[in-house]
Amino acid sequence: MAEEPKKPTILVVDDDSEIRYSLDRVLSGRGYQVAAAGSGEDGVEMVRTTSPDIVFLDIRMGGMSGIETLQHMRAINNRLPIILMTAFGTAQTAIEAMKYGAFDYIMKPFDPVRVTKLAEAALKALHDMHRAGDYEPRLRSEDWKEGIVGTSAAMQEVFKIIGQVAASDATVLVTGESGTGKELIARCIVQHSLRARGAYAAVNCAAIPENLIESELFGHEKGSFTGATAQRLGKFEQCDGGTIFLDEIGDMTLATQTKILRVLQEGEIQRVGGSEIIKVDVRVVAATNKDIEEMVRQKTFREDLYYRLNVVRVRVPPLRDRVEDVPEIVEFMLQRLEKNRKSRVRRVAPEAMAVLSQHTWPGNVRELENVIHRSAVVAQGDTILLKDFPPELRAGAEVEASVDVPTAPAEPGPQASSAPSADAPSEEPSILFDRLFACLQTSQASGVLKQIEGEMIRRALNHFSGDPGKAAEFLGLSRNVLKKRSEDLGI
Ligand SMILES: Nc1ncnc2c1ncn2[C@@H]1O[C@H](COP(=O)(O)OP(=O)(O)OP(=O)(O)O)[C@@H](O)[C@H]1O
Ligand SMILES: [Mg+2]
């Protein structure tokens, strides 16, 4: 007889024998192999010796508490999904449970359907984590030092320019959309320059009120304006022999621009309210996310200053033009979080990474960084899964996944055959439809189905650049039906 595939095993830990019995009944009935322990201590021992796939764990037990037990179990197996159970539902216990890395949290008395759904979701998460297991780290330790990563051709160009200007004192203008890494690049330029050991200051021209920026940059004499109770040195004087980073330079007034021009041309400044002319030796690295050439055309930015700043130009490409960098940037950020002991997450599951690579990232690397930080916080185990992403990122993926992968992902073991799934459909599509239905209810839309159909056809056609063959295949329609429906819907 052929060997039966191993059934998924579930460990139930509760000091109440009735709970153990009822969970055993529900879960065995679903085709799972169930084992039980009557205390936290025994539960930990069983995790060590029998390696269950999932654990249902009571929070309040005599002896070792549920939270303590959970921590011991996770020290043995960081990926083990643990579902905490409690009869006392307070915000605090729920928060505590999730904080310590529980997979989920369920209230007694149990709804058997919810128990089964949780077990299925936990197994799926485990499965996704295992599939992601062969993700090899690619970052070398050198990449760490720079704090800046990217193997795309576009970023390699940027790195080359940084290397080229390292030994010169040339003024550098860094431009690019918000969040592309301009400040990081500016710092990198400074670190590699001859002035690396010299003073350095960053001034955000957009953040300082107009009436204070001159004093900030050039300093002031005592009594030069209300509040100037003492003499103060400005950033240019402080950075003598070093470098100044002028950030958001497109937000400077024309008056300030004139003074900056003077430093660049003559190497001299005057404090606000002072008459003394002071020589300074400062290298300037500037950055802006504005279209500076357009500003010059509009005469809101001085042309002569523009030429002075634009001696070397570093154009930082938006992230959507270098999506090949996304996996590496993600890995870098996860390593940094781990190093700072802020997370134990090591990788992103392939289907989740695919979503990251397809997103258009209007907020560029900063937006990606936020997504990774947030997802690492909610992820359990060592892998970020699709479900850990914020809903706006997930929504598109769920639609695509249900189309791209028509066959359900293979679950481990006999789950598909022995655990009937007809009445417990997988979580994602139902959430999507719940949400959609709720939206439709509140918007009181009429002709809803037509609208959805029309929208899907339009999007599919757009996505495949108007190719009706590909769009039809994507939507699971024949070309003729697609044509007919498009005509009916006036597309
Ligand atoms: N190539 C990269 N590798 C690693 N981290 C990066 C990279 N580029 C940007 N970052 C990170 O992304 C965040 C945003 O970068 P930064 O502040 O330099 O952007 P910016 O272009 O100056 O944005 P803004 O125009 O909004 O000021 C920072 O936390 C930075 O560390
Ligand atoms: Mg910046």
Side-chain angles (χ1 to χ4, degrees):
M1 201 179 91
E3 197 184 317
E4 266 207 32
K6 190 175 163 286
K7 289 182 182 180
T9 56
I10 299 180
L11 173 65
V12 176
V13 185
D14 200 310
D15 54 359
D16 181 343
S17 61
E18 263 176 51
I19 298 283
R20 295 201 300 271
Y21 175 75
S22 66
L23 273 179
D24 187 354
R25 273 196 47 177
V26 172
L27 293 166
S28 302
R30 290 283 168 172
Y32 298 111
Q33 176 85 47
V34 182
S39 71
E41 288 82 352
D42 287 353
V44 171
E45 195 46 35
M46 286 181 72
V47 165
R48 201 190 309 279
T49 52
T50 66
S51 315
D53 294 309
I54 315 173
V55 176
F56 279 83
L57 173 63
D58 187 26
I59 290 192
R60 288 216 188 171
M61 293 182 289
M64 200 190 273
S65 78
I67 298 286
E68 227 180 309
T69 309
L70 176 139
Q71 287 172 294
H72 282 285
M73 288 177 171
R74 284 180 60 92
I76 298 169
N77 176 4
N78 180 25
R79 289 181 171 187
L80 179 65
I82 300 173
I83 296 152
L84 283 173
M85 315 184 280
T86 179
F88 313 92
T90 65
Q92 207 210 337
T93 32
I95 292 169
E96 282 280 287
M98 300 316 276
K99 202 169 85 186
Y100 286 104
F103 177 79
D104 213 323
Y105 164 83
I106 185 173
M107 295 256 293
K108 299 175 190 176
F110 305 125
D111 164 14
V113 174
R114 171 128 176 84
V115 167
T116 316
K117 277 198 172 181
L118 270 178
E120 278 173 14
L123 272 180
K124 178 166 187 311
L126 193 63
H127 178 66
D128 289 347
M129 261 187 242
H130 283 307
R131 265 201 315 179
D134 48 6
Y135 183 69
E136 280 295 314
R138 314 187 284 178
L139 281 181
R140 296 150 304 152
S141 57
E142 300 97 270
D143 300 321
W144 262 105
K145 277 197 307 229
E146 304 294 350
I148 174 168
V149 292
T151 45
S152 61
M155 282 310 283
Q156 291 300 313
E157 271 319 300
V158 169
F159 298 151
K160 269 189 240 164
I161 299 176
I162 296 176
Q164 282 163 359
V165 297
S168 88
D169 255 349
T171 306
V172 183
L173 177 60
V174 187
T175 53
E177 287 178 18
S178 181
T180 45
K182 296 185 293 297
E183 181 159 6
L184 201 59
I185 285 162
R187 250 184 285 142
C188 190
I189 291 171
V190 176
Q191 276 161 19
H192 285 273
S193 75
L194 299 171
R195 294 166 180 255
R197 286 165 196 278
Y200 170 79
V203 181
N204 185 337
C205 304
I208 301 168
E210 199 190 313
N211 57 338
L212 293 181
I213 183 118
E214 281 182 32
S215 149
E216 178 75 17
L217 290 171
F218 309 115
H220 59 244
E221 296 295 348
K222 182 176 173 181
S224 56
F225 54 86
T226 333
T229 51
Q231 188 202 50
R232 180 173 174 226
L233 297 189
K235 289 285 192 283
F236 271 99
E237 259 182 281
Q238 290 171 21
C239 290
D240 199 10
T243 314
I244 193 163
F245 173 50
L246 297 177
D247 202 0
E248 318 284 2
I249 196 150
D251 293 79
M252 238 166 20
T253 60
L254 283 163
T256 316
Q257 288 176 26
T258 308
K259 302 210 165 127
I260 298 278
L261 182 67
R262 180 168 168 201
V263 198
L264 289 174
Q265 274 176 338
E266 330 285 347
E268 40 185 59
I269 58 150
Q270 258 174 309
R271 297 187 194 119
V272 175
S275 52
E276 190 190 350
I277 290 172
I278 301 157
K279 282 270 171 206
V280 287
D281 166 28
V282 179
R283 182 194 198 181
V284 172
V285 177
T288 181
N289 56 17
K290 299 250 160 81
D291 182 346
I292 190 111
E293 281 79 13
E294 181 57 27
M295 289 185 74
V296 171
R297 276 190 293 275
Q298 299 288 331
K299 305 223 179 310
T300 48
F301 200 89
R302 286 185 68 129
E303 190 173 11
D304 42 9
L305 177 59
Y306 166 72
Y307 285 115
R308 279 280 166 183
L309 290 172
N310 195 30
V311 178
V312 175
R313 178 67 164 267
V314 180
R315 291 172 208 268
V316 193
L319 187 56
R320 66 184 156 280
D321 291 350
R322 46 175 163 122
V323 284
E324 61 268 40
D325 285 345
V326 167
E328 210 182 357
I329 294 176
V330 167
E331 189 181 324
F332 171 74
M333 286 166 177
L334 288 177
Q335 281 187 18
R336 191 165 52 187
L337 283 176
E338 201 190 5
K339 216 176 172 185
N340 298 336
R341 302 191 184 283
K342 294 218 172 104
S343 126
R344 290 198 279 185
V345 175
R346 289 239 164 94
R347 71 202 95 210
V348 172
E351 60 277 16
M353 189 62 92
V355 168
L356 296 182
S357 298
Q358 276 158 22
H359 187 59
T360 49
W361 301 115
N364 293 295
V365 186
R366 181 176 297 112
E367 185 189 357
L368 175 61
E369 193 171 30
N370 286 343
V371 166
I372 291 302
H373 284 194
R374 282 167 57 183
S375 317
V377 169
V378 294
Q380 285 99 33
D382 62 358
T383 306
I384 292 177
L385 306 176
L386 212 46
K387 71 171 176 58
D388 302 322
F389 284 157
E392 61 277 14
L393 259 186
R394 234 165 37 206
E398 279 162 356
V399 176
E400 272 182 28
S402 63
V403 178
D404 279 344
V405 198
T407 47
E411 291 292 341
Q415 212 212 336
S417 54
S418 56
S421 57
D423 54 341
S426 80
E427 201 80 54
E428 285 87 304
S430 76
I431 292 177
L432 179 67
F433 289 127
D434 286 350
R435 230 181 270 150
L436 185 58
F437 194 74
C439 283
L440 294 173
Q441 275 176 314
T442 51
S443 69
Q444 294 175 332
S446 61
V448 161
L449 292 178
K450 269 193 180 163
Q451 222 174 312
I452 294 176
E453 196 179 1
E455 192 56 38
M456 286 301 131
I457 292 176
R458 228 172 267 123
R459 282 181 192 225
L461 283 169
N462 242 337
H463 184 79
F464 294 105
S465 319
D467 183 333
K470 285 191 180 148
E473 194 192 5
F474 177 85
L475 294 168
L477 303 174
S478 73
R479 266 185 84 139
N480 282 338
V481 172
L482 178 74
K483 185 159 173 276
K484 171 96 181 42
R485 297 304 295 146
S486 307
E487 282 168 1
D488 291 349
L489 295 162
I491 296 166

